[in-house]
């Protein structure tokens, strides 16, 4: 928000205050300042001149020779501007003068004629191209009246101006106005704000003979206020008005449009003016558009509407896009003679949605979408009419059409002074606290007891409960006046048990040689195609973003595999020969509620030398062992479309699914254009967490010796190792302490279609020394069970 200090001084008494003191105090009250612009800096020897003669340059078609009187002397100046005429008053830089940016003007010759200075444009006096009126954008600034010749231009045009650029937070839309910032300054400096005059001295006729207003969608239009003006005279605004608009970042257009913009900046209430002759049936109807309806806005662009967009209509057609922009069919023109000025209050969400859908953002829409006080409309239209009257731009029609279905009443909030003093570590009395709120134009009732009842003005949309008024008390009291205190707490901070568990898992994986990665939760739906997920897979039931940055970030991910693959591919394409990584992150699945189900998933990935299925399986086994999941089983999986059918396994624990591990399917590898074998493991972290047992129980060293037995059995190729180990454990009884696979052999000594598997079995009794007989009985029982159930043969 650009705030010219001279404008602010009209409403609050800060005239004698140093600029630095003002800015420091405003900052300490919570008003963040982005920048201070100093207009008029660097301008020297620039004076008012009167054009006496304009002649064509004899040797240049596009140059003119200007004779200009600056009071002390008459100068000859050569210029290329074609908007200068005799009797015009213009700013003149004398030879040796300076312009903003350190530009010095010297005498010179242009095509043989000496030029003793320069005529100035608005841009050369420090105004930006984006705010200079179109009529003078390509030419010299023609002054609006006859100033004394030779008068310093800084004085004549009141150019010395400080404009403060305030950063306005979304919760303070009331500060998107000069009066809003004046209220802040008045509170900070214990002053009383002086509001601009809205008294209209002269009016005629009856507005009901000119217009009627009907609101069809009161939930989208809370108030609609209209004034009518006749005998309109369209012309350029006086310099003081144009200067304030330009300093505030708004381009002047003509007196009527400028007044509506001026009042919007002043009050924070957007206004719009309609040419009354183009309002059919002398009727305004506020209603939503129809689907596929087309409407041409003031910028000349035809826009396609939908049934959710609120429109301002006359008896026949739309004349305005509510809260965003007026229509080209009712714009103010040079021959306009009667107008309507509208100040309305529109639903913030509706304006935001319309503006976003159409890609059309304006000063009005930016204010409406943050929130505008419903009670501003009447003062705003009266202020606009007051300015029209002062500038002799029209005759005000008596009366006001003000459709206000539901009056917005101020809130009444209970405040506990003891509570505020305790939180701020202050010792303010009830009267002192009440005075702080009164400085913010709040009504205060001391009540019967120690509590206050505070009624903020309706313009303060952000004040809803006691905590909001606590903040107001703190900033007006002065953050710099608050004593520094150490936060008080009665609970010791720390990680949750779940977070501690996650950190432990990360430590194990990092110790196993994996690098941690973090990828975006926003993903592309193409990821499901890349990893060949079936069409019916639940992981294709995506949560779609309402406002995605692009198709590649349009959904919430349901699996981490595509993210891991993309990371591995980036490394592969950069000639990294070997990579191994993991990610512990959230996935998002649809639910029956408004919010998705968020679950934590763990994915491991690797490719390159020595990174194979067994390496990855070893890391998973290490992880499961560290978190107390003993005896997880690996069941072959041949039907998962993401993985190689012969090199993939489901990970089970007590018949519960924990995850899947395997080599990526060749088709998936082809989708990612990678020739190396890629291995992926995706684990259901929530299931792992539920089954983990990280409690450590002390176990003393055994007192009695162990006895080892090795055995090699021959089984059919189709028999899995886990089947063998299951039978061994079932028959080993209490004395079987450990089973370790140490060899798998296929060769000449083993018949075709079979394999030899060798185990080392450790036996121990915790209460006594085992005898050979005891061990042999158990060992024989194991061999017998293997023969009966698997057809195993003991290899001699």
């Amino acid at each position: 928000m650009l705030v010219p200090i001279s404008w602010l001084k009209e409403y609050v008494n800060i005239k004698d205050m140093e600029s630095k003191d003002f800015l420091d105090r405003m900052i300490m009250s919570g008003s963040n300042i982005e920048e201070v612009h100093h207009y008029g800096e660097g301008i020297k020897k620039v004076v008012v001149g009167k054009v006496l003669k304009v002649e064509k340059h004899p040797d240049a078609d596009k140059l003119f020779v200007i004779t200009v009187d600056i009071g002390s002397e008459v100068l000859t100046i050569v210029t290329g501007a074609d908007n200068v005429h005799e009797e015009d008053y213009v700013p003149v830089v004398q030879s040796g003068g300076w312009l903003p940016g350190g530009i010095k003007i010297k005498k010179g010759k242009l095509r043989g004629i000496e030029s003793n200075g320069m005529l100035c444009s608005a841009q050369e006096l420090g105004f930006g191209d984006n705010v200079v009126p179109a009529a003078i954008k390509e030419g010299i600034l023609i002054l609006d009246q006859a100033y004394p010749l030779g008068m310093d231009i800084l004085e004549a045009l009141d150019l010395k101006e400080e404009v403060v650029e305030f950063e306005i937070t979304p919760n303070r839309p009331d500060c998107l106005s000069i009066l809003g910032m004046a209220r802040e300054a008045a509170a900070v400096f214990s002053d009383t704000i002086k509001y601009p005059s809205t008294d209209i001295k002269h009016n005629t006729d009856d507005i009901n003979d000119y217009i009627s207003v009907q609101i069809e969608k009161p939930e989208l239009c809370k108030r609609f206020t209209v004034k009518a003006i006749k005998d309109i005279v369209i012309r350029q605004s006086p310099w003081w008005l144009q200067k304030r608009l330009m300093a505030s970042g708004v381009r002047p257009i003509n007196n009527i449009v400028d007044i509506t913009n001026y009042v919007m900046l002043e009050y924070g209430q957007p206004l719009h003016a309609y040419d009354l002759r183009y309002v059919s049936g002398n009727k305004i109807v506020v209603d939503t558009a129809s689907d596929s309806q087309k409407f041409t806005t003031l910028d000349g662009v035809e826009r396609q509407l939908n049934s959710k967009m609120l429109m301002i209509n006359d008896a026949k057609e739309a004349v305005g896009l509510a809260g965003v922009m007026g229509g080209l069919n009712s714009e103010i023109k040079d021959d306009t003679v009667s107008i309507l000025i509208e100040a309305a209050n529109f639903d913030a969400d509706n304006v935001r949605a319309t503006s976003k859908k159409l890609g059309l953002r304006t000063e009005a829409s930016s204010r409406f979408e943050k929130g505008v006080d419903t009670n501003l409309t009447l003062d705003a239209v009266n202020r606009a009419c007051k300015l029209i009257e002062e500038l002799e731009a029209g005759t005000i029609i008596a009366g006001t059409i003000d459709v206000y279905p539901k009056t917005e009443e101020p809130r009444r909030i209970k405040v506990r002074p003891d509570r505020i003093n305790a939180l701020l570590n202050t010792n303010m009395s009830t009267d002192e606290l009440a005075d702080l709120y009164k400085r913010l134009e709040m009504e205060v009732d001391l009540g019967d007891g120690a509590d206050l009842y505070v009624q903020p003005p309706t313009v303060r949309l952000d004040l809803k409960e006691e905590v909001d008024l606590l903040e107001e008390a703190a900033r007006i009291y002065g953050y710099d006046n608050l004593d520094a205190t150490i936060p008080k707490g009665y609970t010791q901070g720390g990680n949750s048990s779940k977070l501690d568990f996650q950190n432990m898992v990360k430590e194990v994986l990092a110790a196993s040689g994996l690098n941690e990665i973090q990828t975006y939760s926003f993903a592309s739906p193409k990821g499901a195609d890349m990893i060949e997920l079936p069409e019916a897979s639940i992981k294709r039931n995506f949560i779609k973003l309402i406002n995605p940055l692009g198709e590649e970030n349009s959904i919430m991910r349901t699996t981490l595999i595509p993210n891991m693959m993309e990371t591995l591919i980036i490394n592969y394409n950069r000639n990294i020969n070997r990579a191994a990584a993991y990610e512990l992150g959230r996935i998002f699945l649809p639910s029956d509620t408004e919010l998705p189900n968020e679950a934590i998933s763990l994915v491991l990935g690797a490719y390159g030398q020595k990174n194979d299925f067994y390496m990855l399986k070893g890391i998973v086994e290490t992880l499961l062992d560290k978190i107390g999941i003993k005896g997880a089983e690996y069941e072959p999986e041949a039907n998962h479309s993401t993985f190689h059918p012969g090199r993939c396994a489901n990970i089970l624990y007590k018949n519960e699914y924990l995850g899947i591990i395997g080599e990526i399917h060749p088709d998936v590898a082809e989708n990612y254009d990678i020739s190396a074998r890629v291995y992926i493991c995706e684990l259901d972290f929530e299931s792992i967490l539920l089954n983990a047992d990280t409690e450590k129980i002390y176990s003393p060293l055994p007192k009695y010796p162990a006895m080892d037995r090795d055995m090699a059995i021959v089984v059919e190729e189709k028999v899995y190792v886990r089947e063998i180990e299951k039978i061994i454990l079932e028959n080993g009884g209490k004395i079987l302490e450990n089973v370790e696979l140490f060899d798998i052999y296929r060769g000449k000594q083993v018949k075709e279609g079979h394999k030899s598997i060798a185990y080392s079995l450790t036996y121990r009794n915790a209460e006594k020394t085992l005898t050979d007989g005891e061990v042999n009985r158990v060992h024989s029982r194991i061999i017998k069970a293997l023969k009966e159930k698997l057809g195993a043969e003991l290899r001699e």
Side-chain angles (χ1 to χ4, degrees):
M1 176 69 189
L2 295 170
V3 178
I5 296 299
S6 64
W7 196 355
L8 194 67
K9 287 179 178 179
E10 289 191 4
Y11 311 128
V12 63
N13 185 20
I14 54 172
K15 291 182 174 63
D16 300 326
M17 186 173 297
E18 290 291 332
S19 175
K20 184 179 183 303
D21 292 339
F22 168 75
L23 297 176
D24 287 346
R25 291 283 300 278
M26 292 297 288
I27 289 172
M28 292 312 299
S29 71
S31 296
N32 191 30
I33 294 172
E34 293 280 343
E35 189 176 356
V36 180
H37 306 272
H38 299 275
Y39 284 89
E41 273 194 344
I43 296 178
K44 297 178 181 177
K45 294 186 69 176
V46 183
V47 298
V48 174
K50 181 181 179 180
V51 177
L52 302 179
K53 187 185 296 184
V54 179
E55 298 176 297
K56 291 281 292 183
H57 194 294
D59 294 323
D61 293 338
K62 295 185 178 180
L63 294 179
F64 299 88
V65 180
I66 309 295
T67 303
V68 59
D69 184 1
I70 63 170
S72 59
E73 59 181 316
V74 176
L75 303 176
T76 299
I77 295 175
V78 179
T79 180
D82 60 1
N83 69 321
V84 181
H85 303 90
E86 293 179 4
E87 305 297 318
D88 282 347
Y89 284 77
V90 293
V92 181
V93 193
Q94 301 173 73
S95 178
W98 293 82
L99 291 175
I103 300 172
K104 186 176 183 180
I105 305 301
K106 301 178 181 179
K107 287 183 180 180
K109 282 189 177 182
L110 290 174
R111 294 292 183 94
I113 296 181
E114 189 174 79
S115 183
N116 299 291
M118 187 180 81
L119 306 185
C120 296
S121 65
Q123 295 95 317
E124 287 160 340
L125 291 176
F127 295 99
D129 278 346
N130 62 315
V131 297
V132 173
I136 61 169
K137 189 173 183 180
E138 304 299 329
I140 300 303
L141 174 62
I142 308 301
L143 305 185
D144 63 333
Q145 64 185 64
Y147 297 95
L149 298 182
M151 185 180 185
D152 191 324
I153 202 70
L154 293 174
E155 182 183 352
L157 299 184
D158 194 21
L159 285 181
K160 287 191 74 67
E161 175 75 273
E162 282 187 322
V163 178
V164 181
E165 184 175 352
F166 287 96
E167 179 190 10
I168 308 300
T169 53
N171 68 314
R172 291 300 306 275
D174 59 296
C175 288
L176 288 171
S177 65
I178 302 298
L179 285 174
M181 294 311 302
R183 277 189 291 269
E184 289 293 295
V188 171
F189 300 107
S190 301
D191 192 21
T192 301
I193 187 171
K194 179 184 176 183
Y195 283 92
S197 173
T198 57
D199 294 334
I200 302 166
K201 295 181 180 178
H202 307 287
N203 52 58
T204 184
D205 301 341
D206 183 354
I207 192 172
N208 293 295
D209 297 331
Y210 286 78
I211 195 70
S212 66
V213 175
Q214 182 178 342
I215 299 178
E216 294 293 337
K217 295 291 190 298
E219 69 275 14
L220 300 181
C221 178
K222 299 176 184 177
R223 190 176 187 181
F224 201 94
T225 308
V226 173
K227 295 284 287 186
I229 304 96
K230 68 176 184 178
D231 303 329
I232 291 293
V233 179
I234 302 295
R235 53 177 172 246
Q236 290 298 306
S237 298
W239 171 251
W240 69 265
L241 179 53
Q242 293 192 52
K243 181 174 76 77
R244 282 190 174 173
L245 290 178
M246 289 190 288
S248 301
V250 177
R251 185 195 301 278
I253 306 296
N254 59 52
N255 54 350
I256 299 301
V257 175
D258 292 351
I259 286 171
T260 61
N261 286 331
Y262 184 89
V263 175
M264 176 186 68
L265 293 172
E266 192 173 41
Y267 278 82
Q269 168 66 57
L271 289 87
H272 185 66
Y274 302 88
D275 191 324
L276 189 54
R277 60 185 164 170
Y278 298 122
V279 179
S280 298
N282 291 344
K283 185 177 184 179
I284 291 289
V285 180
V286 185
D287 201 356
T288 48
S290 57
D291 284 323
S292 301
Q293 179 180 340
K294 293 183 178 180
F295 178 69
T296 303
T297 45
L298 276 171
D299 55 3
V301 178
E302 185 180 73
R303 304 179 187 277
Q304 185 163 316
L305 313 177
N306 63 43
S307 58
K308 295 182 180 179
M309 297 178 181
L310 191 66
M311 304 298 294
I312 312 301
N313 308 282
D314 60 18
K316 293 182 179 179
E317 60 182 353
V319 292
L321 190 58
V324 182
M325 185 179 283
L328 190 64
N329 56 358
S330 61
E331 72 169 331
I332 304 300
K333 300 179 180 177
D334 291 342
D335 61 346
T336 296
V337 294
S338 57
I339 64 170
L340 295 176
I341 291 187
E342 158 226 308
N345 189 278
F346 302 111
D347 178 72
D349 292 337
N350 184 264
V351 173
R352 185 184 301 112
T354 298
S355 175
K356 183 178 176 182
K357 181 70 175 178
L358 298 177
L360 180 61
R361 188 175 177 82
T362 62
E363 287 284 347
S365 69
S366 67
R367 283 169 169 78
F368 277 125
E369 67 185 30
K370 292 178 177 66
V372 176
D373 178 19
T374 320
N375 293 317
L376 284 177
T377 61
L378 188 57
D379 285 341
V381 291
N382 285 333
R383 174 61 173 163
C385 290
K386 174 68 174 178
L387 290 172
I388 289 174
E389 188 176 71
E390 286 183 353
L391 300 184
E392 298 179 348
T395 302
I396 312 303
I397 303 300
T400 305
I401 302 292
D402 187 15
V403 183
Y404 195 179
K406 185 180 179 181
T407 303
E408 188 75 23
E409 298 293 344
R411 299 183 182 90
R412 192 166 184 262
I413 304 171
K414 179 181 176 181
V415 175
R416 296 166 291 174
D418 290 346
R419 175 68 172 162
I420 288 180
N421 281 321
L423 290 171
L424 299 181
N425 194 32
T426 54
N427 192 29
M428 288 184 283
S429 68
T430 302
D431 289 339
E432 288 174 326
L433 187 58
D435 180 64
L436 289 183
Y437 293 133
K438 289 176 182 178
R439 285 160 58 182
L440 288 161
E441 297 190 326
M442 302 183 193
E443 294 184 12
V444 181
D445 179 6
L446 297 180
D448 297 330
D451 297 333
L452 295 176
Y453 291 89
V454 180
Q455 184 173 288
T458 54
V459 73
R460 291 298 303 273
L461 304 178
D462 59 313
L463 302 182
K464 299 176 181 178
E465 50 191 316
E466 184 184 32
V467 67
D468 300 321
L469 293 177
L470 164 67
E471 182 181 4
E472 294 299 291
R475 67 186 191 85
I476 300 303
Y477 182 82
Y479 292 129
D480 52 333
N481 294 323
L482 297 176
D483 294 331
T485 58
I486 298 174
K488 297 177 182 178
Y490 303 100
T491 58
Q492 183 175 355
N495 294 334
S496 65
S497 57
K498 186 174 183 179
L499 186 57
D500 281 335
F501 183 77
Q502 292 180 29
N503 291 335
M504 183 179 70
V505 169
K506 290 181 179 183
E507 289 176 3
V508 173
L509 295 176
S512 299
L514 301 184
N515 294 302
E516 183 180 8
I517 64 171
Q518 287 185 337
T519 59
Y520 290 115
S521 296
F522 300 157
S524 169
K526 292 181 180 178
D529 298 328
M530 296 288 283
I531 64 171
E532 301 285 338
L533 283 181
E535 290 297 327
S537 173
I538 190 175
K539 293 185 178 180
R540 283 187 178 271
N541 193 7
F542 305 119
I543 303 294
K544 297 180 180 179
L545 300 181
I546 296 175
N547 181 30
L549 297 174
E551 193 274 341
E552 68 277 8
N553 301 109
S554 61
I555 63 163
M556 303 298 288
R557 62 189 180 186
T558 57
T559 172
L560 300 182
I561 294 179
N563 302 59
M564 177 58 72
M565 288 297 299
E566 289 169 8
T567 301
L568 295 178
I569 292 307
I570 290 173
N571 285 270
Y572 179 79
N573 289 337
R574 293 182 181 178
N575 297 319
I576 306 298
N577 296 327
R578 181 174 181 268
Y582 76 91
E583 179 174 10
L584 186 63
R586 294 186 181 276
I587 58 174
F588 304 83
L589 299 171
S591 69
D592 296 332
T593 64
E594 292 183 2
L595 297 176
N597 283 327
E598 294 186 34
I600 300 177
S601 182
L602 175 62
V603 64
L604 290 64
Y607 73 84
Q609 186 181 11
K610 296 183 180 179
N611 286 346
D612 57 13
F613 177 90
Y614 295 105
M615 181 280 297
L616 199 61
K617 180 172 178 282
I619 292 176
V620 173
E621 289 175 338
T622 299
L623 172 63
L624 296 180
D625 181 68
K626 290 290 185 182
I627 61 177
I629 297 180
K630 311 287 186 180
E633 299 179 353
Y634 295 82
E635 183 179 81
E637 172 59 67
N639 299 314
H640 198 298
S641 55
T642 301
F643 294 91
H644 193 299
R647 301 167 186 170
C648 175
N650 290 321
I651 304 172
L652 306 175
Y653 180 68
K654 297 180 179 179
N655 295 320
E656 182 179 341
Y657 176 85
L658 295 184
I660 190 167
I661 184 172
E663 181 183 333
I664 288 298
H665 197 287
D667 290 345
V668 175
E670 184 177 347
N671 292 339
Y672 284 97
D673 194 22
I674 183 171
S675 57
R677 289 185 173 183
V678 179
Y679 301 91
I680 296 287
C681 175
E682 186 174 44
L683 297 171
D684 184 341
F685 193 79
E686 305 291 347
S687 295
I688 289 176
L689 180 61
L690 289 174
N691 288 286
D693 182 6
T694 56
E695 184 178 356
K696 304 297 182 182
I697 299 176
Y698 169 73
S699 179
L701 292 174
K703 295 181 179 180
Y704 303 100
M707 299 182 68
D708 295 325
R709 294 284 190 274
D710 292 343
M711 72 173 183
I713 57 173
V714 178
V715 294
E716 293 183 23
E717 192 68 57
K718 66 180 181 180
V719 175
Y720 293 114
V721 167
R722 71 182 184 88
E723 297 178 71
I724 299 172
E725 293 178 355
K726 185 177 181 180
I727 293 172
I728 293 174
L729 293 171
E730 287 175 350
N731 291 274
K734 294 181 179 180
I735 66 170
L736 180 61
E737 184 179 74
N738 186 49
V739 179
E740 183 177 348
L741 172 68
F742 67 85
D743 183 55
I744 299 178
Y745 173 76
R746 299 175 182 85
K748 295 180 180 179
Q749 288 87 1
V750 178
K751 57 184 176 180
E752 188 175 349
H754 288 67
K755 58 188 175 184
S756 171
I757 299 180
Y759 284 97
S760 176
L761 279 63
T762 301
Y763 299 95
R764 189 195 307 269
N765 190 321
E767 298 177 354
K768 66 174 185 175
T769 300
L770 289 173
T771 64
D772 283 340
E774 290 173 321
V775 172
N776 290 338
R777 282 195 296 274
V778 174
H779 196 70
S780 299
R781 186 168 68 232
I782 291 172
I783 294 173
K784 181 180 178 182
L786 290 171
K787 288 181 179 180
E788 293 176 350
K789 295 182 178 180
L790 300 179
E793 296 179 3
L794 192 63
R795 185 180 174 199
E796 300 297 337

